[in-house]
Amino acid sequence: MKRHNRAALAVAALALVIPVSGCASLLSPHQTAEYHYNGGDGASGSVGDVDVRGLLLITDQEASGPAQLFFTLINKGDSTAKVSIEVGDTTVSESVKAGDTFVQDPKSPETSSKEVVTVDSLKAEPGDLVDVTVENGSDEKVIETQLLTDALPYYEEYVPSESPSESPSDMPSEDAGAAEGAATANG
């Protein structure tokens, strides 16, 4: 009988120790909650049957110029979706057929549009979260995305440039003008 009592006490002790040891945390709602991770740059969300991925704005480090807008639309519905994306004073509208994907990234091989979409009237500093309103039919959602800069080298090529006539590389520098004047004076 003593063996049975010892075994019963050992089982009771284990029953008390296991929940306290952390093993019970596997059953905690904080541990078992479903978390959806979207790999890659940019924000994401769903508006009706359309998934929005890679929603991103890139500008120069001073945020002195316009920002370029990037996004991917994935239509998971059975009919064509008419999607409108609004940020600042810029609105972009796209039709995405059922089961199709639309990519707004002019430098990507998968792009659906070679046009650069720029946002000129953005009142945000680098690193700020910017509200982007996405509409799909009667469904609407505001998705926050971060304003990124060319501080990271792989974003440098995505900073929208001013018009070519305003580009500093097209203007003669003062040093070039002085050298040209000196060459003329010397002969």
Side-chain angles (χ1 to χ4, degrees):
M1 272 208 142
K2 287 187 176 186
R3 280 188 173 175
H4 294 292
N5 288 344
R6 283 185 187 167
L9 282 173
V11 169
L14 265 171
L16 291 173
V17 170
I18 288 177
V20 178
S21 70
C23 295
S25 69
L26 295 175
L27 304 175
S28 164
H30 298 290
Q31 296 291 325
T32 58
E34 186 176 318
Y35 177 73
H36 182 75
Y37 172 73
N38 293 309
D41 295 340
S44 63
S46 294
V47 183
D49 292 332
V50 174
D51 284 350
V52 180
R53 305 258 171 88
L55 187 59
L56 186 63
L57 290 161
I58 299 177
T59 188
D60 60 1
Q61 290 185 36
E62 295 80 31
S64 60
Q68 187 172 173
L69 176 65
F70 299 88
F71 58 88
T72 298
L73 304 172
I74 303 166
N75 186 353
K76 294 183 173 183
D78 297 331
S79 60
T80 299
K82 296 191 185 304
V83 181
S84 150
I85 298 176
E86 181 181 346
V87 57
D89 289 341
T90 302
T91 301
V92 179
S93 296
E94 299 297 341
S95 291
V96 185
K97 293 181 181 176
D100 278 359
T101 299
F102 180 89
V103 177
Q104 175 58 49
D105 179 355
K107 296 190 180 200
S108 169
E110 290 89 28
T111 191
S112 302
S113 173
K114 292 285 186 186
E115 242 180 82
V116 174
V117 177
T118 58
V119 180
D120 294 318
S121 62
L122 199 57
K123 293 179 174 79
E125 295 295 318
D128 285 353
L129 290 177
V130 178
D131 288 342
V132 180
T133 304
V134 182
E135 290 182 24
N136 174 18
S138 62
D139 296 322
E140 181 178 306
K141 184 173 190 173
V142 175
I143 302 173
E144 289 184 321
T145 190
Q146 193 173 22
L147 178 61
L148 300 175
T149 69
D150 58 348
L152 296 172
Y154 49 87
Y155 288 145
E156 286 176 351
E157 66 181 301
Y158 296 107
V159 174
S161 61
E162 301 296 325
S163 64
S165 61
E166 297 174 13
S167 173
S169 62
D170 292 340
M171 295 181 182
S173 68
E174 290 178 23
D175 294 337
E180 187 176 306
T184 306
N186 289 334

